[in-house]
């Protein structure tokens, strides 16, 4: 059973940086796609960034391109989301998710971590 545990959220000022971590366990993730999602109050959940574990291929939402970077550490089975130049509109709960299919079906989710960007 896949377990995902996020950490690294917090309160930061506009323009600041945070790095989120997602520790994954329970499977071999070499065939998985990992994603970071976020959900702000009153808004739908959106995919922020995704990474294909096998080759490190990445994709980003337009709203975060150039500011956020998703990466992985194979030895630690951990996925990261480095967030720079943060804006108040980045405020949300951020979730890590795992897709074993490679087709956008994220079946396993972490508990979420709050990111708040003050203006």
């Amino acid at each position: 059973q896949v377990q995902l545990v996020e950490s690294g959220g917090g309160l930061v000022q506009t323009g600041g940086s945070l790095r989120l971590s997602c520790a994954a366990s329970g499977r071999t993730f070499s065939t998985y796609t990992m994603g970071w999602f976020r959900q702000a109050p009153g808004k739908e959940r959106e995919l922020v960034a995704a990474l294909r574990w096998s080759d490190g291929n990445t994709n980003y939402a337009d709203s975060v391109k150039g500011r956020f970077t998703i990466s992985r550490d194979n030895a630690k089975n951990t996925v990261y989301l480095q967030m720079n130049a943060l804006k108040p509109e980045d405020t949300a709960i951020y979730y890590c998710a795992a897709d074993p299919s490679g087709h956008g079906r994220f079946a396993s989710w972490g508990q979420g971590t709050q990111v708040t960007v003050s203006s």
Side-chain angles (χ1 to χ4, degrees):
Q1 184 172 349
V2 174
Q3 290 187 323
L4 304 172
V5 179
E6 302 103 332
S7 61
L11 173 64
V12 65
Q13 291 185 334
T14 296
S17 298
L18 283 173
R19 188 178 78 157
L20 306 183
S21 300
C22 173
S25 62
R27 285 287 187 275
T28 300
F29 292 93
S30 58
T31 61
Y32 278 58
T33 295
M34 304 298 291
W36 283 100
F37 290 77
R38 68 185 181 188
Q39 187 164 23
K43 294 189 176 182
E44 292 190 355
R45 184 175 60 196
E46 64 169 335
L47 178 62
V48 172
L51 176 145
R52 190 163 59 204
W53 202 293
S54 59
D55 60 6
N57 186 52
T58 58
N59 284 291
Y60 298 91
D62 288 343
S63 57
V64 306
K65 279 181 182 176
R67 300 188 298 123
F68 289 12
T69 303
I70 187 171
S71 63
R72 73 195 189 297
D73 184 326
N74 290 332
K76 296 181 179 180
N77 254 14
T78 298
V79 177
Y80 303 98
L81 185 68
Q82 178 67 44
M83 305 185 293
N84 298 328
L86 283 162
K87 306 174 181 179
E89 51 263 44
D90 295 319
T91 295
I93 299 175
Y94 284 71
Y95 299 91
C96 177
D99 166 24
S101 71
H103 297 294
R105 293 190 285 269
F106 289 88
S108 300
W109 294 81
Q111 80 286 356
T113 186
Q114 177 70 48
V115 171
T116 303
V117 185
S118 63
S119 56

